[in-house]
Structure formats: structure tokens, C-alpha cells
Amino acid sequence: MTEPRKLYVGLDVGGTSVKVGLFLQDGTLVGKGSVPTPPIVDEAGYSAVTNGIGQVLAEADATTAEVLGIGLAIPCPVPADGIIRMQANIQIDAPGLEAALHAFCPQAAVKFVNDANAAAMGELWTGAAKGRTSLVFVTIGTGVGGGVVIDGKVVAGAFGAGGEIGHLCMNPNEERACGCGGKGHLVVSNYLAECEARGVEPIELTGPSDSKDVFQACREGDEVALAAMRTMADYLGRALSLVANVVDPELFLLGGGASASADVYLETLVERYRAYAINVNADTPIEVASLGNDAGIYGAAYVALQAAEA
């Protein structure tokens, strides 16, 4: 008789879809799917999630009895006590969903984790940071987020703010406000400010701070875009040097949508980081993450595995 597999489910709960990944203990992905994200606040919402898991299990010829852990990567702070107190872009009743998942997979440990922290853990498990024990994962998009891993464990923080490096104040004289209300925080919207300062018309953007368009302009030699990129690299390099003084990771990894354009700014970022860093960690590698949009499901499953084995 074949021995039951030990399986772990990673859920990445986004604004439009819930991605589902089914993994073996060694990080092998054996099933994958997604369902539209409903308001996860009642039985209909809970059922949408459990049905999505059930579909992936069926396609992998697996049973709920084999699932020993379920991790959920969600886009909001998840403090160390696991109690979610603030939500921004999703509607979720965490205790209700947890109860529904326990009912669906009675043997499974259920664990919530911030989505950036989950991505960091995914890269640690099977991605670009495999074999390391510490890293800082930086998500670069319209804003900047992060995940910190020390001794193989994600740093959530007492209030869920662990890894929120995007809210480091890099320019106290900045007048533009961050989404949190603070000013001078890490953003990738320097291009429009640079255009305004120079009195030139910006290129057409598909969003208010579409970094992809700006980075393409850099490739084409647009001096304003290049100046904005250098400002971004300078701020980010200084921010990473500050983080390094507190965390001293083995590796910095760049993820998020703007990581696809790392060819434009990585060399400048490394140069600026080294200019600000102290000697002992000035050579900390800064690399591009490898799991892409799947990092969340990998990391959520890995956090679930750790919870199941605790």
C-alpha cells in the first residue's frame, strides 16, 4: 500500500484572484490553479477558496487527508500573533476562513503571512535564496515593499510592520505624500517630479508612475528618465544600507514588477549601496528573484510546512 504523501497548500490572495499551489515537502509543485477573489467574509467566500483547493487536489489525484498545512499570503500586515487588524485591498474574515479551512482539511495547520514576507520565504525555499538562512526581499512596483528572513524564519514584527522598508524616510524635505500619509518615502514616481523640475513634458505613462515605461525610456537614452532612475537607485541603495546595518542579511533579492527591468538600474543600485554601506557588509549581493508571480504560493506553503512541523 502506498504511503500517503505529505502535501502543503499555498494560497496567494490577491485583489482579483486567489492562486492555489500544491507542494510536496521538498518544494516540488504538483498542482496549481486559481479562482476569482470573492469577499472572503461568509460561507460563499470560504467555499470559493476551499473549492479552489479541492479542484487542485483532484487534478493532482490527492486527498484532503494528505494536506498537512495551508498557508495564506495576504496583502496586509500579519503580526506575530497572527491576528489581522488592518486590511486595505481585500475583504477577509480571517478567523472565519481559518475555521473553514480546518473543516475542509482537518489535519492541516493553517497560517497567514504577509504577501511580501511570503515571497521572501518562497525564494528561500526553492528560489534564488535557496541554501541561505537570511535575506531581505524587496518588491519594487509603484511602491516598495519587503520581507525579512532571519535564521530561516520570516520577521513579521509585533504589529505586522516587519519588512516595510518602503516607508523608510529617504528625503525629509519631500512634499509628495506616500499612500500611508507620510512623506519622503521610497517610491518609483521620481520621473514626474524630475520632469516638473526641468520644465519638460513627460512621456506618455499607462499609470501615474508606471515604472516600466520610464525604464524603457532609460534604455532609449532619455536623460530625464535616467535622472529619475539614478534618484531611485540612490534612495534604494541608501535604504538597503540602513537595513543592512540592522539585519545584515546574506542577500538582497529584488522582486515585483520593476524587477523585470533590473538591467536598467541594478548596476547603479549596487554602486550606490556600496557607497553608503559600511565595509563589513558593502559586498552583500543584490540579485533578482527567480520565482516571479509564483513566489507567494511557494512561500505560503513553506510557512505552512514550518507551522505543521513546529
Side-chain angles (χ1 to χ4, degrees):
M1 183 175 178
T2 304
E3 186 175 336
R5 292 175 290 183
K6 294 181 178 180
L7 298 176
Y8 302 88
V9 172
L11 302 174
D12 190 353
V13 183
T16 59
S17 68
V18 179
K19 291 187 286 187
V20 183
L22 183 65
F23 297 86
L24 298 177
Q25 197 169 13
D26 63 359
T28 300
L29 178 66
V30 295
K32 183 178 170 183
S34 68
V35 295
T37 304
I40 311 174
V41 296
D42 54 21
E43 290 302 326
Y46 308 149
S47 294
V49 175
T50 56
N51 289 343
I53 297 172
Q55 182 176 345
V56 172
L57 288 172
E59 292 172 355
D61 195 24
T63 67
T64 56
E66 295 175 287
V67 177
L68 301 186
I70 301 174
L72 299 97
I74 58 176
C76 54
V78 181
D81 62 12
I83 300 174
I84 298 163
R85 298 174 175 87
M86 185 183 83
Q87 301 175 29
N89 300 315
I90 58 169
Q91 299 179 59
I92 184 169
D93 177 349
L97 177 57
E98 183 174 357
L101 292 170
H102 277 305
F104 185 68
C105 295
Q107 299 185 83
V110 177
K111 188 80 172 178
F112 290 85
V113 60
N114 169 266
D115 54 1
N117 290 343
M121 292 297 283
E123 294 289 344
L124 183 79
W125 194 21
T126 65
K130 186 175 181 179
R132 315 265 187 169
T133 61
S134 68
L135 76 141
V136 173
F137 181 84
V138 185
T139 61
I140 310 174
T142 301
V144 178
V148 177
V149 176
I150 301 294
D151 293 333
K153 303 288 185 181
V154 69
V155 178
F159 306 105
E164 290 288 353
I165 66 173
H167 296 293
L168 288 172
C169 182
M170 292 292 100
N171 180 7
N173 298 316
E174 175 64 67
E175 291 301 317
R176 290 171 294 161
C178 172
C180 74
K183 295 182 178 180
H185 296 183
L186 279 172
V187 292
V188 193
S189 57
N190 300 301
Y191 173 69
L192 295 178
E194 191 69 34
C195 288
E196 183 178 354
R198 294 177 180 227
V200 300
E201 285 294 316
I203 59 173
E204 184 177 351
L205 302 175
T206 55
S209 58
D210 193 306
S211 55
K212 182 173 67 172
D213 295 334
V214 176
F215 291 137
Q216 181 56 38
C218 288
R219 294 187 183 96
E220 295 169 2
D222 185 304
E223 183 52 43
V224 182
L226 286 166
M229 178 276 291
R230 288 190 288 268
T231 299
M232 166 240 176
D234 184 72
Y235 282 7
L236 184 56
R238 183 149 52 100
L240 296 187
S241 75
L242 296 174
V243 172
N245 287 346
V246 177
V247 176
D248 195 24
E250 296 175 77
L251 174 71
F252 288 104
L253 277 184
L254 307 179
S259 66
S261 298
D263 61 294
V264 172
Y265 61 83
L266 184 56
E267 183 177 346
T268 305
L269 172 59
V270 171
E271 186 270 324
R272 297 316 300 152
Y273 168 77
R274 289 177 176 170
Y276 289 118
I278 60 176
N279 289 339
V280 293
N281 54 27
D283 291 326
T284 302
I286 304 175
E287 301 175 4
V288 178
S290 64
L291 294 178
N293 290 330
D294 284 343
I297 57 173
Y298 274 87
Y302 188 39
V303 167
L305 184 155
Q306 290 183 325
E309 294 182 343

